[in-house]
Amino acid sequence: IDLSIFHNDYPNGPTNIRHNAAQHTFSACLLFNDDIHFLVEWLAYHWTILPLRRLIVAIDPLSNTNPSRILRRWKSFMNVSIWEDDFFFNRFHRSSILRSVNVNDTSTILINVHRQRQKMFYFQCMRKLKDEGQHWTAFVDTDELVFQNENHLRLRKSLPQQTNKTVSRLLHELQESKQVASPCVGLPRLLFGTKEDSKGDSEAVAHGSLLPEIGVAPTDFMTLRWRWHAGNDNRLNRAGKALVDLSRIPNGLLLLDNVNAHRPIKQLCTNDAMWIRIDESPLVLHHYVGTYQQWISRDDVRNKRTSILYSEMAAVNHTKDSNERAWLKYFIKAIGEKNAAMLLNDVGKVESTPKAERMSPEAKLAKLSSLLYGKKTRKLLVPGTVVKK
């Protein structure tokens, strides 16, 4: 990674941001639900690779864990806000969803509330970040990491070697070379299973040796442990996600009806962009299934986290990814060993205790109703408030 991004944009340390730093850095809107084990690496990786410097987080009402202690660690390195539902998903919108749902099926009601809440969060998050003057913004989950696509032949032929560039710089070069014109860039997803090399991965061991005093192992990291992935056309890769340059989005397009989790601005994030072929994209989104313990530690209103689906996803092993995983080395060099040890603590560790039985849809709806529609409202955090100690 070109470490000049850290020195040029942060001449007096990472908290002293120049007025135009947003042009060279990333922001993100993140919905969190019981993935602390992934969140630790997600933050460190994207801080280095994008580089991520502005983050707004909403915690799922059904989440059994709270990421605040992890996010507080980053207060000197990233501007982080936690939004609660009372701000972006107020009672009027909650009630209108229930009134519009003309079904008696509990699971359907849960899914509708989940999707509308997700849609409302992305909408309000984009408005806030656009008002702040942010540029490129990511809409990816904690088990998804943005990678440069080293196998994209057109990119290799038309640009200098890009392995030492941040994603922000790569996008700038793609715009300069007229290869990227839209303010929305599609991210095809690539599923990584749980096959491991019997003799261990020498690269992972090498990177692990960089952390002698931190108390973490190479196998704690998604990016170092899991290297085998599905084929490009495997249905389990599913629909892609997107990056959006909010500075180039007209206010007339930033409307609630235009927002979708996979297509944040429908008119610009087209269906073709959502399903772009991996070999045609300069960027790719690595999607990690993780260990079974990590998989079952999170519940899902869609009730899709079954052992059968896990077995199918974990078994993908079409190709071994050969891209370099040097981000950890650059992260430690940029932020220092002491800070790296603090920020990477608990990486890969499951905090919530997996339950033998899932909550029934009725129990989930009762809990959700109590949290979102009950008499007692949850504490409101004003948007833009940086997480405090």
Side-chain angles (χ1 to χ4, degrees):
I1 299 298
D2 183 356
L3 295 178
S4 66
I5 182 69
F6 304 112
H7 304 304
N8 292 342
D9 287 335
Y10 307 96
N12 299 313
T15 57
N16 196 337
I17 303 176
R18 286 204 327 242
H19 72 279
N20 63 343
Q23 297 179 20
H24 310 291
T25 61
F26 259 77
S27 56
C29 302
L30 178 66
L31 287 159
F32 174 86
N33 184 9
D34 284 332
D35 272 347
I36 282 180
H37 44 276
F38 290 149
L39 179 64
V40 175
E41 183 175 2
W42 188 93
L43 289 165
Y45 175 84
H46 285 129
W47 186 89
T48 308
I49 296 298
L50 293 181
L52 181 64
R53 292 297 182 274
R54 177 70 173 107
L55 176 65
I56 297 178
V57 181
I59 305 170
D60 193 285
L62 296 178
S63 179
N64 294 311
T65 58
N66 191 306
S68 295
R69 67 178 182 84
I70 303 296
L71 297 172
R72 288 191 195 103
R73 302 173 183 173
W74 286 88
K75 66 185 182 67
S76 296
F77 308 99
M78 188 188 305
N79 183 357
V80 181
S81 302
I82 296 179
W83 285 3
E84 296 212 10
D85 292 73
D86 287 323
F87 168 68
F88 70 89
F89 192 44
N90 61 43
R91 288 179 176 274
F92 172 79
H93 291 113
R94 300 172 200 171
S95 300
S96 64
I97 292 171
L98 291 184
R99 288 195 299 269
S100 65
V101 176
N102 189 25
V103 294
N104 294 320
D105 179 64
T106 302
S107 295
T108 301
I109 295 175
L110 282 170
I111 292 172
N112 285 341
V113 172
H114 165 77
R115 288 177 176 169
Q116 291 301 316
R117 179 181 177 274
Q118 181 183 60
K119 182 175 181 177
M120 186 65 69
F121 171 67
Y122 281 153
F123 169 65
Q124 298 285 14
C125 184
M126 283 192 287
R127 289 182 59 188
K128 173 62 176 174
L129 294 175
K130 182 173 174 62
D131 287 345
E132 291 179 359
Q134 300 296 329
H135 286 243
W136 284 106
T137 303
F139 303 85
V140 301
D141 296 333
T142 47
D143 56 359
E144 299 169 338
L145 301 175
V146 180
F147 272 74
Q148 297 179 32
N149 189 358
E150 306 298 338
N151 297 319
H152 183 36
L153 296 179
R154 186 179 72 233
L155 178 67
R156 276 185 164 179
K157 292 177 180 178
S158 61
L159 290 176
Q161 177 70 316
Q162 70 268 18
T163 54
N164 291 329
K165 293 183 177 70
T166 61
V167 171
S168 176
R169 182 159 296 185
L170 174 62
L171 287 171
H172 175 74
E173 291 188 3
L174 288 169
Q175 289 173 317
E176 290 291 308
S177 63
K178 310 300 182 183
Q179 292 192 56
V180 168
S182 172
C184 179
V185 173
L187 295 174
R189 284 199 289 185
L190 188 61
L191 178 65
F192 279 70
T194 58
K195 177 180 177 179
E196 296 180 85
D197 293 330
S198 57
K199 295 183 180 179
D201 190 309
S202 59
E203 185 183 342
V205 173
H207 287 306
S209 67
L210 296 171
L211 309 172
E213 299 178 356
I214 294 181
V216 296
T219 52
D220 292 331
F221 294 85
M222 297 180 282
T223 50
L224 301 184
R225 184 174 186 179
W226 313 120
R227 305 299 296 269
W228 290 85
H229 60 77
N232 288 358
D233 297 321
N234 193 311
R235 63 177 178 79
L236 292 174
N237 290 327
R238 297 178 180 166
K241 299 290 183 72
L243 304 177
V244 176
D245 184 353
L246 293 174
S247 69
R248 297 162 58 199
I249 303 297
N251 289 328
L253 291 183
L254 199 54
L255 304 172
L256 180 61
D257 289 341
N258 290 344
V259 178
N260 178 282
H262 296 269
R263 300 166 58 193
I265 306 290
K266 288 183 181 179
Q267 286 90 336
L268 300 173
C269 303
T270 64
N271 196 59
D272 288 342
M274 184 174 65
W275 290 103
I276 185 173
R277 287 182 55 84
I278 292 173
D279 54 7
E280 296 177 352
S281 174
L283 298 167
V284 63
L285 194 61
H286 288 191
H287 180 201
Y288 296 90
V289 63
T291 66
Y292 185 65
Q293 184 185 26
Q294 291 170 336
W295 170 265
I296 63 173
S297 67
R298 184 179 77 175
D299 207 346
D300 191 316
V301 296
R302 297 165 295 183
N303 292 318
K304 288 186 176 181
R305 291 192 164 247
T306 65
S307 58
I308 295 175
L309 180 58
Y310 175 82
S311 297
E312 185 179 9
M313 296 175 70
V316 299
N317 61 359
H318 182 274
T319 306
K320 182 179 179 180
D321 186 75
S322 59
N323 291 343
E324 186 184 12
R325 298 294 201 275
W327 75 268
L328 193 54
K329 175 178 66 178
Y330 295 123
F331 173 70
I332 296 171
K333 184 176 180 180
I335 211 162
E337 284 193 15
K338 183 177 179 181
N339 289 324
M342 179 264 295
L343 295 170
L344 293 176
N345 187 37
D346 291 332
V347 62
K349 302 297 190 296
V350 175
E351 180 173 297
S352 58
T353 303
K355 299 177 175 58
E357 295 183 3
R358 297 290 188 189
M359 289 177 62
S360 67
E362 290 72 23
K364 291 177 188 175
L365 185 59
K367 181 177 179 180
L368 195 65
S369 298
S370 174
L371 291 172
L372 297 183
Y373 300 94
K375 293 182 179 179
K376 294 183 178 180
T377 59
R378 304 173 72 187
K379 182 181 178 181
L380 171 64
L381 290 178
V382 178
T385 303
V386 179
V387 178
K388 302 293 184 181
K389 256 188 175 181

